[in-house]
Amino acid sequence: MSTLSTLPTAQPGTDRVLRRRRIRRTWGRPWLYLPLAGALLLMIAPFLWMLSGSFKPEADIRRVPPVLIPTAPTTANYGELFGKLDFTSMFANSVIVALAVTAGNLIFCSMLGYALAKLEFRGQRVVFLLVMGTLMIPGLVTFVPLYVLVSNMQLTGSMLGLILPFLAGPFGVFLMRQFISTLPDELIDAARVDGCRELAIFAKIILPLTKPALATLGIITFLGSWNNFLWPLVVAQTESQYTLPVGLALASSGQSFTVFGVLLAGAVIVLLPVMIVFLLFQRHFVAGIATTGLK
Amino acid sequence: MTSMSSKTLPAGRGDTSRQSTEGSERSADRRHSVLRSTARGRQARAAWILAAPFLALFAAFTLLPVVWSLLMSLTDTQSADLRTPLNVSFTSFDNYVRLFQDDQFFTALRNTAVFVLVALPLTLAAGLAAAVALDRGIQRFRAVFRVGFYLPVITSIVAVAVVWKTLLEPRSGLVNLVLGWFGIDGPAWLADTRFALPVMIVMAVWRNLGTVMIIMLAGLQSVPQSLMEAAELDGAGPWQRFWRVTFPLLRPALLLTAVTTGIGYLQFFDEPFVMTGGGPLDSTLSATLYAYKQFGNGNYDMASAAGYVIFVLIVALTVLQFRLLRDKD
């Protein structure tokens, strides 16, 4: 630095270098903002279109070329959803099913996950391989006999039929086992020495420590259930048993663009709750997904 | 001694503490191992208690259906009473033969193959590019970009498909409106056999690149700065630094996202169900949609057979990805 400053010709050059470095520290590479902003616009344009369309009155929907911002915003589309199409009960169904499925997975997957990660028992390897092996099996393979099974149990058209097959999924076991195996063994050994019973170790020591993994699994499972389509489409039989995606898909099939505003309002109802939850908790959410991927 | 202990402790956990054991302490050691074995019995009992609820549900709703489905695919369910699944006539591979004689199934397989082979590499490349751009190029507003790119991932495919269907309406949709600004007369996207499947590929990339981006971004940020500086000192250019230093470190995470995304893509169903019903002229009929239609027509055997064909494809794709992306060491 001092040698450089003795050279008069180098002075403006170093200034430029230092300035560039400062810019890079606060901005990165400024020319990248424009293409990234363009890409960002492409990513969120469908959501903006959805939101605007859901408030469009009939006249705007029929207009060619379309208008981007509703001329006289109306909530009539939402009125029709909750009035004629009974989205209220579909919403309730989606919430109940997703909560039950999430609770089941959190409980059962953490239990098996702990056993596989920290306890020794005969058949451990077989259980692990069996459960992991089914991660690759497409839903479609199990779904036909599952349908026969559930209908033999007289559960088609009941909430239980929507919930029961998803209460214990292999992905949750994988995630919980991965996380629990990073916890120190010494913790468990110390508890054993202190005379803590095996199941109490799980409930009182391990479970509180797995909160971050449980949060990740909870979010992923809730979303998966909320967005699940094929199974509720097959099992739900009357409109009062539909979940939101089923109601929306059946409302949209075979319809012309005249109900377009109603469909977009329906999409808002399906997407908005999870989007709000995501925006509120995105930091934890993203951290959870990222670590899951890296392990 | 070491061979014995490794036999009694198959997992090998806690073995390191035993290395100091001398001959004189052998009896103490034996007493210890007796204590250990009862402790292990207690552990095993606890393990099975913890595993039982999951395994019961898993056996009933996953294992049983998997086996049952295989049996169904090998029987003629038309004449069978499904309530008594064992009272059926085995027809060996007749359903599979019928499946592969069906031109519509081939169309479905071809569409699925095109969808996976185009959408999967594009998704991985777009996600990786977004991650690199955000990691290197952007300091300000990074969270905004990250959230925006990730947002489509959490959405319901059904809802998104409905939105895209309206976006793509030839006369009243946004896409052709924007194309019109540039003087382009956009086609009737979903009603055109040339465009319907490509549109779904674009949609899949749009929806899923965020997953790849998030995981790659975390990977990029865990690349040690010292490693990059060392490579730079050794004269590696940015391109070389990426392929020789960064990429090998990202490979395990990339493999995981490639496998999970690939499994999802091979079961491609919701978009054609909502947007086109498989049309026009079967141009978006996917293998899963084909199976669903067989199921809807009461052909449970054919639907199961199609399910197993998809399963075999998933295994093949996964093996291929492991070959291509695994660490070469």
Side-chain angles (χ1 to χ4, degrees), chain A residues 251-287:
Chain A
S252 84
S253 59
Q255 304 277 13
S256 68
F257 75 97
T258 46
V259 290
F260 194 107
V262 179
L263 292 179
L264 290 176
V268 171
I269 298 303
V270 178
L271 297 181
L272 210 56
V274 295
M275 280 166 72
I276 290 172
V277 171
F278 169 68
L279 290 175
L280 286 178
F281 297 107
Q282 59 96 8
R283 209 167 279 279
H284 308 278
F285 196 97
V286 163

Side-chain angles (χ1 to χ4, degrees), chain B residues 182-198:
Chain B
F182 297 98
I184 299 167
D185 198 12
W189 299 99
L190 294 171
D192 192 319
T193 52
R194 289 169 303 167
F195 291 110
L197 190 60

